[in-house]
Structures are given as structure tokens and as C-alpha cells.
Amino acid sequence: MTITHIDIYRFSIPMEPFTIATGTMNHAQNTFIRVHTDAGFYGVGECSAFPMIVGETQDTCLVIAKDFAKLWKGKDALNIPERLQQLHDAVAGNGTIKSAFDMALYDIAAKNAGLPLYKFLGGEKREVETDITIGIGRPEVMAEKAIFFKKSGATILKVKLGKNAVEDVERIKQIREAVGDEIKIRIDANQGWSFGDAVFALQTLVKYNIEFCEQPMRTWYDDKLPELMKLSPVKIMADESVYNHHDARKQIESGSCHYVNIKMAKAGGIYEAKQIHDLAAVNGIPCMMGGMLESRIALSSKLHFVYSSPNIKFYDMDTCMLGHLVDPCVGGATYDGYFLNIADTPGIGADADDKFLEKCEKFVI
């Protein structure tokens, strides 16, 4: 099956400001593509650039997407490993935009097989309940947000920390007092703490029944994680410390994490995410499905991946619930409260709304 041309869109989604330890976003810097084939159908791909984390911006994604599209014209869409290796040979890193191209290939392959993507990947549906994220703010404001989410049916809160360890303890104290003991609380420092701050925070926060802590320190302190693992009564999840399965191997073999957060924008898509998942599974390290600020298009591909990945035990799949002011997706994954589901249509089962695309900058290669 030959790739004939590729449509590339600047897929900006307005949203309420969202703050983490490394910065604030007021719109989702996304890129959307359609990879057309001579079979008469196309595959869709979406990625969400989070420059403070991955170093890619929407503009860099658009520039590199044009280069990638030129490489793929006239090539076989069904040879996924070969197509992805082309991208790796051309440009190192840049997993965010690579994930959109990866997603489009899997959409094409599953559509060609006449199967929903999760069945194409050998999976089956199961119950998936996402957490809901509280961005960094004043402790009392975060506590009010926690109460709101609890009243809306949330049973798992993910709380962003990492600005100031002492204030972070106060944030969690007020949230736990506000929501009670039944609701789960997991925290994400987004690399915001020093080693000393991490030890202090985690040893202090344990009394508030914390499920785990994501990425307490900058990745350049990865060598200190084994020591932190010994000192922390709270379990540690690697996020920015694991982009690919080589990173996962190093984290696991050095005793640096209890869990791993898989994100398509870091890994470069489903192909590499599966390698991370399988390596972690063999070593008894449960994984979480995470994300950046994707719409329900990329969310749908992640849900299919979850269904086919039994070692994913935690679900941080609230990205398009985090203040997106527009839903640019047709079809795709749906929320029933905080539970996700998707129809059994071929491929990913999601696409962009053509009316939304009319307002987007477009490139055809």
C-alpha cells in the first residue's frame, strides 16, 4: 500500500491556563496529520508538543513533519518498522512529532485489516478509569478544585507539585483534609525538587497516603534515584527519566523506580511504547499510560494501546478534560464520568472535525 501524500495541520486547541513545575500552557500546541494511501483511505495522527518537557514546539513539529512527509511519499504504508526507521535515520529524538506519524501508520494498518486498533494489536477491552489532574496553585485553591472533582465522581486525583517542597506539603495536607481518606492521591513533581527537597517532601507526605510520586528530580540526578528509593516511603514512578526502552532498562536495572510512565510524545509512538511496556512487564514494573495535552484523537490511540497492554495498571488519561475549550474530534474515545470507552470501528476510530480544520494552517506534501 503506497503513501500518496500527507496533510499537515497546525492543530492549536484553546484551553484554560494549566500550570506545572516547569511552566504554564494556555493552548495545546498540537499537530495533526492525515497520511493518504492509494487504497483510498488515510490514517490520522496527532501529537501535543510540551516544550518545557520534551524540547519540541508546535513550530518544530510542523517543520520536521514536512521533512518526514517527503521521506514517506511513494513508500509502503504497511511496513511500519521500516517507515519508522526512516524517521530515526533522518532525525534523532523528536519523539513528539514522530508519535503522530507512528499513530497514522497503525491507523492505516488496522483499517486495512478491518479491525479496531486494539484488536489489531491483540488486545481486549477492560475497565479504564482515569485520574484527574490538579495544576499547581495556592493550597486552598487546589483543595477547592479537589472537592469539585470529588463531587463530580473522581476517585483518583493526580496533584502537580514541584515549586516549593514546604508549600507542596501544605498543598497535599489541605487536599487530603478536604477530600477525606477514601480518594486516591498520586503526586507529580515534574522534576521540580532537589534531592534534599525530595527526601524531605516524600518522608513528610507519606502520612497523607500517597499512591506514588512521579519524577521527583531533574533527569540529571538519575544517579541519585537508587538512594532516594531507599529513603522514600512513597513509591517512585519514572516519567521524564524514561523516553525509550533503553532508558527503561537503565532505570529498572539500577533500581531507580517502582513504576514507569509511558507517553507517546516521549516514546515516539506505539511501536516504541510497546517495547517499554514489554520490558517493564518482564521485570515486574507496572506502567502508567500518560500524555501531554492531546485531543480525543490521540487519546483514542492511547486507549487502544491500553487495551492491548496488560502491564499498564495506572491511567492518567484526562488530557482533554484539562480545560480544553474546543473539542476538535469526531468519533473516538468517550468519557462516562472518569471511565473511558470507544466504539469497535476499524482503526483508531477518531478523526478531526473538518470544520475545525478549515481554521487551521495546512500544508500538503
Side-chain angles (χ1 to χ4, degrees):
M1 185 186 301
T2 302
I3 295 170
T4 57
H5 64 284
I6 297 177
D7 301 330
I8 304 165
Y9 296 88
R10 184 186 296 273
F11 204 59
S12 301
I13 304 173
M15 60 181 292
E16 298 172 2
F18 179 70
T19 301
I20 64 171
T22 49
T24 299
M25 301 277 282
N26 56 22
H27 72 279
Q29 297 186 18
N30 297 4
T31 300
F32 175 73
I33 66 170
R34 285 174 172 165
V35 177
H36 295 265
T37 70
D38 63 357
F41 60 85
Y42 58 79
V44 302
E46 182 201 12
C47 65
S48 182
F50 215 108
M52 298 89 78
I53 299 296
V54 298
E56 294 175 73
T57 68
Q58 188 180 54
D59 285 333
T60 66
C61 286
L62 290 168
V63 168
I64 294 179
K66 297 173 194 176
D67 291 337
F68 287 171
K70 293 173 186 175
L71 292 173
W72 277 11
K73 282 188 68 172
K75 299 297 193 299
D76 181 8
L78 297 180
N79 192 334
I80 294 176
E82 187 174 278
R83 294 289 73 72
L84 296 177
Q85 190 59 49
Q86 269 190 292
L87 307 187
H88 298 320
D89 289 344
V91 180
N94 290 272
T96 299
I97 187 58
K98 286 177 179 176
S99 71
F101 281 76
D102 169 286
M103 175 180 163
L105 289 185
Y106 277 96
D107 190 28
I108 289 169
K111 284 175 178 174
N112 185 61
L115 296 171
L117 179 57
Y118 76 90
K119 289 187 178 179
F120 176 79
L121 295 172
E124 59 184 25
K125 287 187 175 181
R126 65 176 189 268
E127 185 176 88
V128 175
E129 180 185 9
T130 184
D131 60 22
I132 185 69
T133 304
I134 300 175
I136 297 177
R138 299 194 311 276
E140 62 273 15
V141 174
M142 295 173 72
E144 289 173 4
K145 182 69 78 171
I147 292 171
F148 172 81
F149 286 144
K150 182 181 179 182
K151 288 181 178 178
S152 72
T155 65
I156 313 166
L157 299 178
K158 176 175 173 176
V159 182
K160 295 290 189 178
L161 303 176
K163 286 286 190 181
N164 177 290
V166 173
E167 292 176 4
D168 287 340
V169 171
E170 181 63 22
R171 290 180 171 102
I172 296 300
K173 175 179 181 292
Q174 290 198 29
I175 290 173
R176 177 56 80 193
E177 289 174 349
V179 300
D181 296 330
E182 300 83 14
I183 201 163
K184 290 182 180 179
I185 296 178
R186 52 186 63 157
I187 60 177
D188 183 1
N190 275 117
Q191 308 181 80
W193 293 328
S194 66
F195 178 79
D197 285 342
V199 172
F200 161 76
L202 295 173
Q203 290 184 348
T204 307
L205 289 172
V206 66
K207 62 185 175 184
Y208 299 114
N209 190 20
I210 304 302
E211 187 177 19
F212 55 77
C213 174
E214 279 186 67
Q215 199 66 33
M217 303 180 295
R218 286 280 183 181
T219 56
W220 51 68
Y221 294 130
D222 279 356
D223 60 312
K224 293 182 177 292
L225 282 170
E227 184 180 358
L228 183 62
M229 289 275 285
K230 295 175 183 177
L231 295 172
S232 173
V234 176
K235 291 187 182 297
I236 304 297
M237 175 179 284
D239 184 2
E240 288 86 359
S241 292
V242 174
Y243 275 65
N244 53 49
H245 72 280
H246 301 293
D247 296 333
R249 175 185 54 79
K250 289 187 285 187
Q251 287 284 302
I252 293 168
E253 291 182 354
S254 62
S256 296
C257 65
H258 298 95
Y259 310 127
V260 169
N261 187 354
I262 298 174
K263 293 178 180 175
M264 299 302 177
K266 292 186 302 169
I270 292 170
Y271 188 83
E272 179 66 28
K274 185 180 188 312
Q275 294 183 72
I276 298 171
H277 168 274
D278 292 352
L279 176 69
V282 168
N283 287 278
I285 302 292
C287 295
M288 180 161 79
M289 186 77 254
M292 298 303 186
L293 294 171
E294 299 92 342
S295 77
R296 289 189 304 110
I297 300 171
L299 175 73
S300 299
S301 72
K302 292 190 290 182
L303 183 57
H304 284 290
F305 180 72
V306 165
Y307 287 153
S308 62
S309 305
N311 192 47
I312 295 180
K313 308 294 187 183
F314 310 106
Y315 316 107
D316 179 31
M317 301 174 68
D318 61 343
T319 57
C320 42
M321 302 172 75
L322 296 178
H324 280 204
L325 301 177
V326 177
D327 181 3
C329 175
V330 291
T334 57
Y335 291 99
D336 179 6
Y338 293 90
F339 292 86
L340 286 89
N341 203 350
I342 196 165
D344 278 347
T345 53
I348 289 168
D351 202 345
D353 185 336
D354 285 332
K355 290 183 179 179
F356 184 86
L357 290 180
E358 288 174 0
K359 304 173 185 178
C360 298
E361 185 179 8
K362 178 183 179 182
F363 309 91
V364 180
I365 304 296

